[in-house]
Amino acid sequence: MLIPLAHPRPPLIASAIFRPRAPRLLASVSLATPPPPPTLAAAAFASLPLRALLSKREVEMVGESEGRPLRVGLVCGGPSPERGISLNSARSVLDHIQERTLHYTIVSSGEDLLVTCYYIDCGMNAYAISPAQLYSNTPSDFDFKLESLAQGFQSLSDFAQHLAANVDIVFPVIHGKFGEDGGIQELLEKANVPFVGTPSKNCLLAFDKYNASLELNAQGFLTVPNFLVEKDKLAKSELEEWFQSINLDKENGKVVVKPTSAGSSIGVVVAYGANDAAEKAEGIISEGIDDKVIIEVFLEGGTEFTAIVVDVGTANNSEPVVLLPTEVELQSSSNIDIQEDTIFNYRRKYLPTRQVAYHTPPRFPSEMTGMEQTSFLFQQSSKVGFSHSRILRTVVQHACSRYPSLVPCSNAWTALSRKIQSAKQSEAVQKGTSKKKVFVIFGGDTSERQVSLMSGTNVWLNLQSFDDLDVTPCLLTSGNGYPSFHNQNMNGSSRDVWTLPYSLVLRHTTEEVNAACIEAIDPERMELTSRLRDQVMNALGQALSKYDWFAGFDIADKQPIKYSLQQWINHVKEAQAVVFIAVHGGIGEDGTIQSLLGSAGIPYTGPGQIASRTCMDKVATSLAVSHLASYGVHTIPKDVRTSEEILKSSLVDIWNDLKAKLQTETDLEVYANALRRKLQRMPANCLSRAHGVIEMPVSPPESLIFEPFIETDEIIISTKSVDDSTRHLVWKGENEWLEVTVGVVGKRGEMLSLNPSITVKESGDILSLEEKFQGGTGINLTPPPSTIMSEDALRKCKRCIELLANTLGLEGFSRIDAFVNVHNGEILVIEVNTVPGMTPSTVLIHQALTEEPPIYPHKFFRTLLDLAFARAN
């Protein structure tokens, strides 16, 4: 099984044969976008140093004693629905396999690694892509632009020949079909290309759940009773006999129905009785997910867990070591109106939700446990002393040791790594300067707290790669724990802050982090975790110490520390640190944290107290910029009603009044019912223009703002063009307004606009939480194609955005959402976010990567931090 390396949380080509493909103009949108000229926003960033790519001849000329970078080919994508998760995994590997990353064109160069990125599309066409593409929200961001953005190979065979000539080892991160069924592995084996991971034969056996269960059963392992359904071969009588053979009621016996060869819980459903199971099995087959389906008994009352296995043996002798397992605790929805089965499905795996929690190690009796950017790999390995970077580099080094032909390459890489580390240590001693202390704070008690966790984790992971920084992650919680429905104390005095050790950050929800902190300081759990950690570390250390390249463990076993918010501020001040604010909504954006830090003389990222408070209030924002209409900055009419009025007055009268004032339709009754029942979330498709689950405010809002709905034309990514050769954009262009989101960066009064992004909605009219922040969903176009928005209109739009930012007194960075007139570039302001989403797939990263030179995530976040340092000085 290929483990996703990112949650449920991102090459210069020589001697290759490329497929000649003529660019084609389709529909009304040009796909060929010329490289952008150097931008003003790039002036806010220091230029990234460039490193020339070593040619194969130059590589061979570098002696083993001198050391040379290891050339790694990172391959992602694939034909399965999991290719979005594959993109996330590739991004995570790229971010963390290198201790310091320097990026340019189509090669990512670290100090001792050269990482070349490749992508296989759903049609099984292979491309060499820029590392920048890995930071896309989803493959759909660039699938339709591959002709102009990437270099394609004539066939997979040509692709394999290229890899054999240009990389030392391949790191495949394709999930599902072709990645886990032995497909990519067999291709590499035939071309004699070394790779990370399991051989093709074993992949094929493990990926097919039915065949794997037969093999495990034959080897004496306990397996779940199951029944195989093959395409066009379903015999309901046989299925009913199977139900009876295992004493399961054929009318309503509970079973799990899932594809035999698919991952990420795609297609996994619960069925009741033989008829329901047969229908759902046929549904999976008819949807094309798989042509074989396995039906298993639903295990009631059991405990689900997952474990990562690391091979530390030699080339001819496998020696698996199991890391600390993770218990998966599933919880039913708190909403009695939402009927759902408690299974570990796709949403629970990859989206932040309170319906699942993880415990590492599991809460098993000690005698059962034995020695064994939030992936389980990183979560479990961090518990036994490995950082993201160290575990990935260990995996690659061990993979190299399996191939005798790679011994010289591996030795040269080790030699170079040691030289670099020695030089860094000498430089640090000569400078004699202490590291700058940084505290990254995230969490809070609003409905945005889970996105805040994703943002803060991403910022922390990127900043900790800098040798001159000492970065501490911190969780903001309410004093009474989660959730805090009635905590309206806006001075922050009732809130607590946990400073977190490495492993406790890698969780899916703030509730889970908070619970893990409480669990971590429990004496009994401390003793168990310490004992199991020592056992696993001893096993790993003994096995890996025989390798000359093993660099040891780099994560210490620390405990979380709890402070009141004021105590934490005092602690930060004593440390003379800077605070990176990643708390979305609530006291993170209304000026409260900014006021507390400012009063203590502590520098922080983002706008100050006044600008934050203004932008938190959409009405106040509109009033503050209402005088800018003559400059092309407009506001949307608003009508403010209290929640009490909505709940107690005639909805028909309010509706008619709103329609008359705003000339629009509303789904008022549905929303009012959600307020009345204090729902935590509204189900998907409950409003006429929305899709996806809608997160409701944790505390019921005192008032609501009503605005007219601005009509825009849909931008659609078609499946195929008229000649069936490629995907393309379709845009009617009947309405003049287009929704964009734009990042602004800089000092106060000197804010500069990044390139705007269009987010293409995959369905409905309102962006879901997933489309805004979760990798693998949503489609972003940065900047807008010139055939949709002219260069003149784009420049005017950016000037309007900068005027808006400077008028509001923004500084550091913020994100502005607006409608833009595609003809003249004037804008209609939607809202301003002073602590915008900073997740791995946020549009701010996409926009920074379109600057000249491209600004990669670690550099982007460091720049924001340096702006805070500059404010302090």
Side-chain angles (χ1 to χ4, degrees), residues 242-260:
W242 175 77
F243 267 76
Q244 293 175 342
S245 70
I246 58 174
N247 298 318
L248 200 61
D249 191 324
K250 69 177 183 179
E251 299 298 330
N252 55 21
K254 194 174 182 180
V255 294
V256 176
V257 185
K258 54 189 175 184
T260 61

mmCIF file with all atom_site columns, all heavy atoms in Angstrom, residues 242-260:
data_model
loop_
_atom_site.group_PDB
_atom_site.id
_atom_site.type_symbol
_atom_site.label_atom_id
_atom_site.label_alt_id
_atom_site.label_comp_id
_atom_site.label_asym_id
_atom_site.label_entity_id
_atom_site.label_seq_id
_atom_site.pdbx_PDB_ins_code
_atom_site.Cartn_x
_atom_site.Cartn_y
_atom_site.Cartn_z
_atom_site.occupancy
_atom_site.B_iso_or_equiv
_atom_site.pdbx_formal_charge
_atom_site.auth_seq_id
_atom_site.auth_comp_id
_atom_site.auth_asym_id
_atom_site.auth_atom_id
_atom_site.pdbx_PDB_model_num
ATOM 1   N N   . TRP A 1 242 ? -23.840 -17.167 1.214  1.00 0.00 ? 242 TRP A N   1
ATOM 2   C CA  . TRP A 1 242 ? -22.684 -16.711 2.001  1.00 0.00 ? 242 TRP A CA  1
ATOM 3   C C   . TRP A 1 242 ? -23.161 -16.033 3.288  1.00 0.00 ? 242 TRP A C   1
ATOM 4   O O   . TRP A 1 242 ? -22.592 -16.264 4.369  1.00 0.00 ? 242 TRP A O   1
ATOM 5   C CB  . TRP A 1 242 ? -21.836 -15.749 1.169  1.00 0.00 ? 242 TRP A CB  1
ATOM 6   C CG  . TRP A 1 242 ? -20.697 -15.140 1.950  1.00 0.00 ? 242 TRP A CG  1
ATOM 7   C CD1 . TRP A 1 242 ? -19.527 -15.740 2.288  1.00 0.00 ? 242 TRP A CD1 1
ATOM 8   C CD2 . TRP A 1 242 ? -20.639 -13.821 2.510  1.00 0.00 ? 242 TRP A CD2 1
ATOM 9   N NE1 . TRP A 1 242 ? -18.732 -14.882 3.020  1.00 0.00 ? 242 TRP A NE1 1
ATOM 10  C CE2 . TRP A 1 242 ? -19.389 -13.694 3.163  1.00 0.00 ? 242 TRP A CE2 1
ATOM 11  C CE3 . TRP A 1 242 ? -21.511 -12.736 2.510  1.00 0.00 ? 242 TRP A CE3 1
ATOM 12  C CZ2 . TRP A 1 242 ? -18.999 -12.519 3.816  1.00 0.00 ? 242 TRP A CZ2 1
ATOM 13  C CZ3 . TRP A 1 242 ? -21.131 -11.562 3.158  1.00 0.00 ? 242 TRP A CZ3 1
ATOM 14  C CH2 . TRP A 1 242 ? -19.890 -11.452 3.809  1.00 0.00 ? 242 TRP A CH2 1
ATOM 15  N N   . PHE A 1 243 ? -24.202 -15.212 3.204  1.00 0.00 ? 243 PHE A N   1
ATOM 16  C CA  . PHE A 1 243 ? -24.768 -14.582 4.399  1.00 0.00 ? 243 PHE A CA  1
ATOM 17  C C   . PHE A 1 243 ? -25.151 -15.648 5.424  1.00 0.00 ? 243 PHE A C   1
ATOM 18  O O   . PHE A 1 243 ? -24.844 -15.531 6.623  1.00 0.00 ? 243 PHE A O   1
ATOM 19  C CB  . PHE A 1 243 ? -26.005 -13.745 4.027  1.00 0.00 ? 243 PHE A CB  1
ATOM 20  C CG  . PHE A 1 243 ? -25.714 -12.290 3.758  1.00 0.00 ? 243 PHE A CG  1
ATOM 21  C CD1 . PHE A 1 243 ? -25.124 -11.885 2.574  1.00 0.00 ? 243 PHE A CD1 1
ATOM 22  C CD2 . PHE A 1 243 ? -26.031 -11.321 4.700  1.00 0.00 ? 243 PHE A CD2 1
ATOM 23  C CE1 . PHE A 1 243 ? -24.864 -10.552 2.320  1.00 0.00 ? 243 PHE A CE1 1
ATOM 24  C CE2 . PHE A 1 243 ? -25.775 -9.980  4.460  1.00 0.00 ? 243 PHE A CE2 1
ATOM 25  C CZ  . PHE A 1 243 ? -25.188 -9.590  3.270  1.00 0.00 ? 243 PHE A CZ  1
ATOM 26  N N   . GLN A 1 244 ? -25.825 -16.690 4.953  1.00 0.00 ? 244 GLN A N   1
ATOM 27  C CA  . GLN A 1 244 ? -26.282 -17.746 5.860  1.00 0.00 ? 244 GLN A CA  1
ATOM 28  C C   . GLN A 1 244 ? -25.118 -18.548 6.436  1.00 0.00 ? 244 GLN A C   1
ATOM 29  O O   . GLN A 1 244 ? -25.129 -18.950 7.600  1.00 0.00 ? 244 GLN A O   1
ATOM 30  C CB  . GLN A 1 244 ? -27.249 -18.682 5.124  1.00 0.00 ? 244 GLN A CB  1
ATOM 31  C CG  . GLN A 1 244 ? -28.559 -18.007 4.731  1.00 0.00 ? 244 GLN A CG  1
ATOM 32  C CD  . GLN A 1 244 ? -29.464 -18.901 3.889  1.00 0.00 ? 244 GLN A CD  1
ATOM 33  O OE1 . GLN A 1 244 ? -28.997 -19.894 3.322  1.00 0.00 ? 244 GLN A OE1 1
ATOM 34  N NE2 . GLN A 1 244 ? -30.742 -18.563 3.801  1.00 0.00 ? 244 GLN A NE2 1
ATOM 35  N N   . SER A 1 245 ? -24.057 -18.722 5.620  1.00 0.00 ? 245 SER A N   1
ATOM 36  C CA  . SER A 1 245 ? -22.920 -19.535 6.065  1.00 0.00 ? 245 SER A CA  1
ATOM 37  C C   . SER A 1 245 ? -22.153 -18.898 7.211  1.00 0.00 ? 245 SER A C   1
ATOM 38  O O   . SER A 1 245 ? -21.484 -19.602 7.972  1.00 0.00 ? 245 SER A O   1
ATOM 39  C CB  . SER A 1 245 ? -21.973 -19.799 4.886  1.00 0.00 ? 245 SER A CB  1
ATOM 40  O OG  . SER A 1 245 ? -21.307 -18.600 4.509  1.00 0.00 ? 245 SER A OG  1
ATOM 41  N N   . ILE A 1 246 ? -22.256 -17.604 7.319  1.00 0.00 ? 246 ILE A N   1
ATOM 42  C CA  . ILE A 1 246 ? -21.549 -16.920 8.411  1.00 0.00 ? 246 ILE A CA  1
ATOM 43  C C   . ILE A 1 246 ? -22.532 -16.402 9.459  1.00 0.00 ? 246 ILE A C   1
ATOM 44  O O   . ILE A 1 246 ? -22.216 -15.496 10.250 1.00 0.00 ? 246 ILE A O   1
ATOM 45  C CB  . ILE A 1 246 ? -20.690 -15.760 7.876  1.00 0.00 ? 246 ILE A CB  1
ATOM 46  C CG1 . ILE A 1 246 ? -21.549 -14.755 7.117  1.00 0.00 ? 246 ILE A CG1 1
ATOM 47  C CG2 . ILE A 1 246 ? -19.555 -16.276 7.005  1.00 0.00 ? 246 ILE A CG2 1
ATOM 48  C CD1 . ILE A 1 246 ? -20.771 -13.512 6.691  1.00 0.00 ? 246 ILE A CD1 1
ATOM 49  N N   . ASN A 1 247 ? -23.766 -16.962 9.425  1.00 0.00 ? 247 ASN A N   1
ATOM 50  C CA  . ASN A 1 247 ? -24.801 -16.616 10.402 1.00 0.00 ? 247 ASN A CA  1
ATOM 51  C C   . ASN A 1 247 ? -25.137 -15.127 10.397 1.00 0.00 ? 247 ASN A C   1
ATOM 52  O O   . ASN A 1 247 ? -25.308 -14.500 11.452 1.00 0.00 ? 247 ASN A O   1
ATOM 53  C CB  . ASN A 1 247 ? -24.372 -17.045 11.820 1.00 0.00 ? 247 ASN A CB  1
ATOM 54  C CG  . ASN A 1 247 ? -24.188 -18.538 11.935 1.00 0.00 ? 247 ASN A CG  1
ATOM 55  O OD1 . ASN A 1 247 ? -24.991 -19.319 11.411 1.00 0.00 ? 247 ASN A OD1 1
ATOM 56  N ND2 . ASN A 1 247 ? -23.117 -18.952 12.595 1.00 0.00 ? 247 ASN A ND2 1
ATOM 57  N N   . LEU A 1 248 ? -25.237 -14.569 9.197  1.00 0.00 ? 248 LEU A N   1
ATOM 58  C CA  . LEU A 1 248 ? -25.594 -13.164 9.030  1.00 0.00 ? 248 LEU A CA  1
ATOM 59  C C   . LEU A 1 248 ? -26.972 -13.100 8.367  1.00 0.00 ? 248 LEU A C   1
ATOM 60  O O   . LEU A 1 248 ? -27.205 -13.779 7.361  1.00 0.00 ? 248 LEU A O   1
ATOM 61  C CB  . LEU A 1 248 ? -24.552 -12.462 8.154  1.00 0.00 ? 248 LEU A CB  1
ATOM 62  C CG  . LEU A 1 248 ? -24.468 -10.935 8.239  1.00 0.00 ? 248 LEU A CG  1
ATOM 63  C CD1 . LEU A 1 248 ? -24.100 -10.486 9.657  1.00 0.00 ? 248 LEU A CD1 1
ATOM 64  C CD2 . LEU A 1 248 ? -23.419 -10.414 7.260  1.00 0.00 ? 248 LEU A CD2 1
ATOM 65  N N   . ASP A 1 249 ? -27.877 -12.315 8.939  1.00 0.00 ? 249 ASP A N   1
ATOM 66  C CA  . ASP A 1 249 ? -29.234 -12.195 8.419  1.00 0.00 ? 249 ASP A CA  1
ATOM 67  C C   . ASP A 1 249 ? -29.190 -11.682 6.986  1.00 0.00 ? 249 ASP A C   1
ATOM 68  O O   . ASP A 1 249 ? -28.679 -10.593 6.733  1.00 0.00 ? 249 ASP A O   1
ATOM 69  C CB  . ASP A 1 249 ? -30.034 -11.232 9.303  1.00 0.00 ? 249 ASP A CB  1
ATOM 70  C CG  . ASP A 1 249 ? -31.527 -11.261 8.984  1.00 0.00 ? 249 ASP A CG  1
ATOM 71  O OD1 . ASP A 1 249 ? -31.874 -11.415 7.803  1.00 0.00 ? 249 ASP A OD1 1
ATOM 72  O OD2 . ASP A 1 249 ? -32.329 -11.105 9.921  1.00 0.00 ? 249 ASP A OD2 1
ATOM 73  N N   . LYS A 1 250 ? -29.749 -12.478 6.049  1.00 0.00 ? 250 LYS A N   1
ATOM 74  C CA  . LYS A 1 250 ? -29.678 -12.078 4.643  1.00 0.00 ? 250 LYS A CA  1
ATOM 75  C C   . LYS A 1 250 ? -30.595 -10.898 4.324  1.00 0.00 ? 250 LYS A C   1
ATOM 76  O O   . LYS A 1 250 ? -30.475 -10.281 3.260  1.00 0.00 ? 250 LYS A O   1
ATOM 77  C CB  . LYS A 1 250 ? -30.022 -13.258 3.733  1.00 0.00 ? 250 LYS A CB  1
ATOM 78  C CG  . LYS A 1 250 ? -31.484 -13.705 3.791  1.00 0.00 ? 250 LYS A CG  1
ATOM 79  C CD  . LYS A 1 250 ? -31.737 -14.828 2.794  1.00 0.00 ? 250 LYS A CD  1
ATOM 80  C CE  . LYS A 1 250 ? -33.206 -15.220 2.793  1.00 0.00 ? 250 LYS A CE  1
ATOM 81  N NZ  . LYS A 1 250 ? -33.474 -16.297 1.809  1.00 0.00 ? 250 LYS A NZ  1
ATOM 82  N N   . GLU A 1 251 ? -31.512 -10.554 5.253  1.00 0.00 ? 251 GLU A N   1
ATOM 83  C CA  . GLU A 1 251 ? -32.419 -9.435  5.016  1.00 0.00 ? 251 GLU A CA  1
ATOM 84  C C   . GLU A 1 251 ? -31.821 -8.107  5.470  1.00 0.00 ? 251 GLU A C   1
ATOM 85  O O   . GLU A 1 251 ? -32.003 -7.077  4.817  1.00 0.00 ? 251 GLU A O   1
ATOM 86  C CB  . GLU A 1 251 ? -33.754 -9.680  5.740  1.00 0.00 ? 251 GLU A CB  1
ATOM 87  C CG  . GLU A 1 251 ? -34.483 -10.921 5.270  1.00 0.00 ? 251 GLU A CG  1
ATOM 88  C CD  . GLU A 1 251 ? -34.865 -10.850 3.805  1.00 0.00 ? 251 GLU A CD  1
ATOM 89  O OE1 . GLU A 1 251 ? -35.099 -9.725  3.312  1.00 0.00 ? 251 GLU A OE1 1
ATOM 90  O OE2 . GLU A 1 251 ? -34.937 -11.912 3.159  1.00 0.00 ? 251 GLU A OE2 1
ATOM 91  N N   . ASN A 1 252 ? -31.125 -8.107  6.604  1.00 0.00 ? 252 ASN A N   1
ATOM 92  C CA  . ASN A 1 252 ? -30.586 -6.843  7.117  1.00 0.00 ? 252 ASN A CA  1
ATOM 93  C C   . ASN A 1 252 ? -29.220 -6.966  7.785  1.00 0.00 ? 252 ASN A C   1
ATOM 94  O O   . ASN A 1 252 ? -28.808 -6.085  8.525  1.00 0.00 ? 252 ASN A O   1
ATOM 95  C CB  . ASN A 1 252 ? -31.569 -6.208  8.108  1.00 0.00 ? 252 ASN A CB  1
ATOM 96  C CG  . ASN A 1 252 ? -31.942 -7.144  9.240  1.00 0.00 ? 252 ASN A CG  1
ATOM 97  O OD1 . ASN A 1 252 ? -31.221 -8.095  9.538  1.00 0.00 ? 252 ASN A OD1 1
ATOM 98  N ND2 . ASN A 1 252 ? -33.076 -6.876  9.875  1.00 0.00 ? 252 ASN A ND2 1
ATOM 99  N N   . GLY A 1 253 ? -28.522 -8.049  7.510  1.00 0.00 ? 253 GLY A N   1
ATOM 100 C CA  . GLY A 1 253 ? -27.173 -8.191  8.049  1.00 0.00 ? 253 GLY A CA  1
ATOM 101 C C   . GLY A 1 253 ? -26.253 -7.091  7.554  1.00 0.00 ? 253 GLY A C   1
ATOM 102 O O   . GLY A 1 253 ? -26.232 -6.757  6.373  1.00 0.00 ? 253 GLY A O   1
ATOM 103 N N   . LYS A 1 254 ? -25.474 -6.520  8.466  1.00 0.00 ? 254 LYS A N   1
ATOM 104 C CA  . LYS A 1 254 ? -24.645 -5.345  8.147  1.00 0.00 ? 254 LYS A CA  1
ATOM 105 C C   . LYS A 1 254 ? -23.291 -5.765  7.571  1.00 0.00 ? 254 LYS A C   1
ATOM 106 O O   . LYS A 1 254 ? -22.570 -6.566  8.179  1.00 0.00 ? 254 LYS A O   1
ATOM 107 C CB  . LYS A 1 254 ? -24.438 -4.491  9.392  1.00 0.00 ? 254 LYS A CB  1
ATOM 108 C CG  . LYS A 1 254 ? -23.886 -3.103  9.136  1.00 0.00 ? 254 LYS A CG  1
ATOM 109 C CD  . LYS A 1 254 ? -23.877 -2.294  10.435 1.00 0.00 ? 254 LYS A CD  1
ATOM 110 C CE  . LYS A 1 254 ? -23.372 -0.887  10.208 1.00 0.00 ? 254 LYS A CE  1
ATOM 111 N NZ  . LYS A 1 254 ? -23.357 -0.089  11.467 1.00 0.00 ? 254 LYS A NZ  1
ATOM 112 N N   . VAL A 1 255 ? -22.969 -5.237  6.397  1.00 0.00 ? 255 VAL A N   1
ATOM 113 C CA  . VAL A 1 255 ? -21.709 -5.555  5.720  1.00 0.00 ? 255 VAL A CA  1
ATOM 114 C C   . VAL A 1 255 ? -21.083 -4.273  5.165  1.00 0.00 ? 255 VAL A C   1
ATOM 115 O O   . VAL A 1 255 ? -21.742 -3.240  5.051  1.00 0.00 ? 255 VAL A O   1
ATOM 116 C CB  . VAL A 1 255 ? -21.912 -6.564  4.559  1.00 0.00 ? 255 VAL A CB  1
ATOM 117 C CG1 . VAL A 1 255 ? -22.356 -7.907  5.089  1.00 0.00 ? 255 VAL A CG1 1
ATOM 118 C CG2 . VAL A 1 255 ? -22.908 -6.011  3.545  1.00 0.00 ? 255 VAL A CG2 1
ATOM 119 N N   . VAL A 1 256 ? -19.817 -4.374  4.818  1.00 0.00 ? 256 VAL A N   1
ATOM 120 C CA  . VAL A 1 256 ? -19.100 -3.289  4.143  1.00 0.00 ? 256 VAL A CA  1
ATOM 121 C C   . VAL A 1 256 ? -18.854 -3.724  2.709  1.00 0.00 ? 256 VAL A C   1
ATOM 122 O O   . VAL A 1 256 ? -18.394 -4.845  2.453  1.00 0.00 ? 256 VAL A O   1
ATOM 123 C CB  . VAL A 1 256 ? -17.760 -2.978  4.842  1.00 0.00 ? 256 VAL A CB  1
ATOM 124 C CG1 . VAL A 1 256 ? -16.994 -1.911  4.066  1.00 0.00 ? 256 VAL A CG1 1
ATOM 125 C CG2 . VAL A 1 256 ? -17.989 -2.530  6.274  1.00 0.00 ? 256 VAL A CG2 1
ATOM 126 N N   . VAL A 1 257 ? -19.164 -2.843  1.767  1.00 0.00 ? 257 VAL A N   1
ATOM 127 C CA  . VAL A 1 257 ? -18.986 -3.123  0.344  1.00 0.00 ? 257 VAL A CA  1
ATOM 128 C C   . VAL A 1 257 ? -17.930 -2.152  -0.186 1.00 0.00 ? 257 VAL A C   1
ATOM 129 O O   . VAL A 1 257 ? -18.054 -0.945  -0.023 1.00 0.00 ? 257 VAL A O   1
ATOM 130 C CB  . VAL A 1 257 ? -20.307 -2.939  -0.430 1.00 0.00 ? 257 VAL A CB  1
ATOM 131 C CG1 . VAL A 1 257 ? -20.138 -3.338  -1.885 1.00 0.00 ? 257 VAL A CG1 1
ATOM 132 C CG2 . VAL A 1 257 ? -21.418 -3.755  0.225  1.00 0.00 ? 257 VAL A CG2 1
ATOM 133 N N   . LYS A 1 258 ? -16.884 -2.685  -0.837 1.00 0.00 ? 258 LYS A N   1
ATOM 134 C CA  . LYS A 1 258 ? -15.812 -1.808  -1.306 1.00 0.00 ? 258 LYS A CA  1
ATOM 135 C C   . LYS A 1 258 ? -15.092 -2.417  -2.501 1.00 0.00 ? 258 LYS A C   1
ATOM 136 O O   . LYS A 1 258 ? -15.076 -3.634  -2.687 1.00 0.00 ? 258 LYS A O   1
ATOM 137 C CB  . LYS A 1 258 ? -14.814 -1.541  -0.184 1.00 0.00 ? 258 LYS A CB  1
ATOM 138 C CG  . LYS A 1 258 ? -14.231 -2.783  0.475  1.00 0.00 ? 258 LYS A CG  1
ATOM 139 C CD  . LYS A 1 258 ? -13.430 -2.397  1.720  1.00 0.00 ? 258 LYS A CD  1
ATOM 140 C CE  . LYS A 1 258 ? -12.936 -3.609  2.479  1.00 0.00 ? 258 LYS A CE  1
ATOM 141 N NZ  . LYS A 1 258 ? -12.235 -3.245  3.722  1.00 0.00 ? 258 LYS A NZ  1
ATOM 142 N N   . PRO A 1 259 ? -14.475 -1.549  -3.318 1.00 0.00 ? 259 PRO A N   1
ATOM 143 C CA  . PRO A 1 259 ? -13.696 -2.057  -4.449 1.00 0.00 ? 259 PRO A CA  1
ATOM 144 C C   . PRO A 1 259 ? -12.530 -2.894  -3.947 1.00 0.00 ? 259 PRO A C   1
ATOM 145 O O   . PRO A 1 259 ? -11.958 -2.600  -2.893 1.00 0.00 ? 259 PRO A O   1
ATOM 146 C CB  . PRO A 1 259 ? -13.197 -0.774  -5.136 1.00 0.00 ? 259 PRO A CB  1
ATOM 147 C CG  . PRO A 1 259 ? -14.044 0.328   -4.588 1.00 0.00 ? 259 PRO A CG  1
ATOM 148 C CD  . PRO A 1 259 ? -14.449 -0.081  -3.220 1.00 0.00 ? 259 PRO A CD  1
ATOM 149 N N   . THR A 1 260 ? -12.176 -3.926  -4.686 1.00 0.00 ? 260 THR A N   1
ATOM 150 C CA  . THR A 1 260 ? -11.027 -4.730  -4.264 1.00 0.00 ? 260 THR A CA  1
ATOM 151 C C   . THR A 1 260 ? -9.717  -3.996  -4.482 1.00 0.00 ? 260 THR A C   1
ATOM 152 O O   . THR A 1 260 ? -8.752  -4.210  -3.766 1.00 0.00 ? 260 THR A O   1
ATOM 153 C CB  . THR A 1 260 ? -10.973 -6.067  -5.031 1.00 0.00 ? 260 THR A CB  1
ATOM 154 O OG1 . THR A 1 260 ? -10.828 -5.798  -6.424 1.00 0.00 ? 260 THR A OG1 1
ATOM 155 C CG2 . THR A 1 260 ? -12.210 -6.891  -4.787 1.00 0.00 ? 260 THR A CG2 1
#
